[in-house]
Amino acid sequence: MSRNDLRSQSLDLLRFPLAVVVLAIHTFSTEGFKIHGTTISFENMPVLLEVNHFIDGFLRGQSVPIYFFISGFVFFLGIELTKEKYIQKLKNRLKTLLIPYIIWNIVAVLLVLPRFLPCFSSLFPNIHKIQLDFSFPAILETFWNAKEGIFIQPPTVDDVVSNNIYPQDVPLWFVRDLMIVVLCTPLLYWLLQRTRHYLVLVLGVLWFTLAYWDLGHINQLLTAFFFFLWGAYMSVNKKDMMTEFSRFFKSSMILYPLLAMLFVASVHYLPIVSDTIKRLNVFVGLFFAYNVAAWLLRRGVFKVSSFLAASSFFIYITHTLLCGELLKLLFFVCRPATDLGMLSIYILTVLVTVAFLLLVFYLLRRYTPSFLKVIAGRK
């Protein structure tokens, strides 16, 4: 396998597991969940809580930065960004990003609306506390910041205060911010040619240091611009990823799990440093993920599945519409009474969601490929 093939296949190999990681972290949560208006708490479930902490340490926050990096690397791969090429790229992103973004946010809204019907009042006893606002500004806001959109929820004392903003279909914040970065690519290209790696370093420092303040969308945009620009820098300057990343093979194999374990320990014993450790973990995670993928391909342990790689975006944009409700359904049906029983429900939710979405993707790809291309922006 040539170096270019190994680089390309390493990136493709990462796509599906990264989507599953996002699904898992959106399913598992230390905050519990609500069913029939009652909060299911994990205070007396130490095993489940500890598993959640390990998921936070090893998985949470890893996938989206890598997706931004891949997007930046692929966007500039083998091109000079002329006006014509930029317009061509924008037309392509209109199909692959904007149209799916609009469609799945609309779907997310339509899936919530039936809950307000009287026939479902027993399933959603607290739904009356949510105010509906169908004004044009609220509808538009739903595609940007759902907290200020159609469904206005009253604040509660249990809410975790965060200024991050998400559209109605939460994972699509990645697509929203990626579209913002793509619009800025002529400026980024011009700056990269004049500042070389210094601009990447400055954004990296800002991404790391400003995380200590909850600046809402600014923190999200810094993640988008830093990792996208890092990938873009490597493409624009024709950096060989195999050479650059393999230098840090041994160190990333040691540092990534070490930082994950330190994060888990800090949550228990020194919470004040947990954010710093997590930031370092996310940074090292890019080297770790790519080096593991390249190593697995070199050794022939895995081969890239074009089907799984193609399904990753579909799984990413649809999973939150299903996994939360499936978790509640399995809990209602199985009624787990033990810590391990609850953990089994969570694991089953992830597995069933992945299997179901793969089946749906397969059927759409086989029988309605044109429709799939529109709603997922990919073949």
Side-chain angles (χ1 to χ4, degrees):
M1 188 185 303
S2 69
R3 296 179 74 85
N4 285 341
D5 286 341
L6 183 59
R7 179 201 65 208
S8 176
Q9 291 196 35
S10 296
L11 296 177
D12 285 341
L13 185 64
L14 286 172
R15 295 180 192 274
F16 176 73
L18 289 176
V20 175
V21 164
V22 175
L23 191 160
I25 64 176
H26 284 160
T27 302
F28 281 84
S29 172
T30 56
E31 299 171 16
F33 60 91
K34 290 184 178 180
I35 182 170
H36 293 177
T38 302
T39 299
I40 306 300
S41 175
F42 304 143
E43 292 180 0
N44 299 318
M45 298 183 179
V47 174
L48 184 59
L49 276 175
E50 207 56 40
V51 169
N52 271 290
H53 290 318
F54 270 83
I55 288 175
D56 286 348
F58 282 89
L59 303 180
R60 191 173 298 276
Q62 305 294 342
S63 293
V64 170
I66 297 175
Y67 277 143
F68 278 126
F69 177 90
I70 294 174
S71 299
F73 184 84
V74 172
F75 189 92
F76 289 99
L77 187 61
I79 69 164
E80 296 290 332
L81 193 63
T82 61
K83 179 181 177 181
E84 291 74 19
K85 182 62 68 173
Y86 175 63
I87 293 174
Q88 180 186 341
K89 290 277 187 178
L90 285 185
K91 289 179 179 178
N92 180 261
R93 269 44 179 193
L94 176 72
K95 298 176 182 178
T96 60
L97 297 177
L98 180 59
I99 292 177
Y101 183 83
I102 294 172
I103 288 174
W104 289 105
N105 274 303
I106 292 174
V107 171
V109 170
L110 294 178
L111 288 176
V112 174
L113 287 176
R115 301 180 184 187
F116 291 88
L117 296 175
C119 58
F120 295 121
S121 59
S122 61
L123 293 176
F124 308 103
N126 294 323
I127 198 73
H128 65 280
K129 296 180 181 180
I130 299 177
Q131 296 181 351
L132 295 176
D133 183 358
F134 288 105
S135 65
F136 185 67
I139 292 173
L140 289 181
E141 195 69 40
T142 299
F143 290 85
W144 183 264
N145 181 16
K147 289 186 292 187
E148 306 294 334
I150 294 174
F151 308 108
I152 304 174
Q153 302 192 36
T156 67
V157 295
D158 298 325
D159 284 344
V160 177
V161 178
S162 173
N163 292 319
N164 288 342
I165 63 174
Y166 304 100
Q168 188 66 35
D169 187 7
V170 173
L172 290 180
W173 78 267
F174 159 72
V175 177
R176 178 199 64 200
D177 290 1
L178 179 58
M179 289 189 289
I180 294 172
V181 177
V182 166
L183 288 174
C184 298
T185 48
L187 175 61
L188 298 178
Y189 185 67
W190 182 83
L191 289 172
L192 277 176
Q193 290 180 314
R194 284 153 182 81
T195 64
R196 296 178 295 172
H197 61 281
Y198 295 108
L199 179 60
V200 181
L201 289 175
V202 169
L203 282 176
V205 170
L206 290 174
W207 168 77
F208 189 90
T209 56
L210 292 183
Y212 295 100
W213 293 272
D214 189 353
L215 301 177
H217 196 205
I218 293 177
N219 293 129
Q220 293 170 291
L221 283 174
L222 277 173
T223 298
F225 274 93
F226 168 50
F227 285 96
F228 183 94
L229 199 67
W230 186 1
Y233 164 77
M234 297 195 72
S235 266
V236 170
N237 292 278
K238 298 179 173 55
K239 296 286 185 178
D240 183 5
M241 287 180 64
M242 299 305 303
T243 300
E244 299 293 328
F245 279 53
S246 61
R247 294 174 184 171
F248 305 97
F249 180 85
K250 290 183 179 180
S251 57
S252 64
M253 294 300 112
I254 296 171
L255 280 176
Y256 181 73
L258 177 61
L259 287 167
M261 294 297 293
L262 286 174
F263 173 82
V264 175
S266 70
V267 169
H268 291 292
Y269 304 111
L270 200 59
I272 194 173
V273 302
S274 61
D275 286 343
T276 301
I277 295 172
K278 188 60 192 175
R279 219 64 172 172
L280 291 170
N281 192 20
V282 170
F283 180 80
V284 175
L286 176 59
F287 295 93
F288 176 81
Y290 186 79
N291 279 323
V292 166
W295 183 85
L296 291 173
L297 288 169
R298 281 198 197 99
R299 298 299 179 94
V301 178
F302 285 114
K303 291 184 178 180
V304 174
S305 166
S306 59
F307 173 76
L308 292 180
S311 71
S312 59
F313 187 68
F314 180 77
I315 291 174
Y316 180 87
I317 62 179
T318 60
H319 70 273
T320 53
L321 307 179
L322 175 64
C323 62
E325 301 309 315
L326 179 60
L327 173 64
K328 296 174 184 178
L329 176 62
L330 290 174
F331 174 83
F332 183 77
V333 171
C334 301
R335 299 288 183 176
T338 65
D339 200 344
L340 291 177
M342 182 64 81
L343 177 60
S344 300
I345 292 297
Y346 271 86
I347 295 173
L348 186 60
T349 298
V350 173
L351 295 177
V352 172
T353 302
V354 171
F356 177 78
L357 292 178
L358 283 175
L359 175 61
V360 172
F361 180 80
Y362 170 78
L363 294 175
L364 290 173
R365 183 170 163 170
R366 181 176 178 85
Y367 297 107
T368 58
S370 298
F371 178 66
L372 176 64
K373 188 176 181 180
V374 172
I375 65 173
R378 286 151 175 79
K379 296 182 181 180

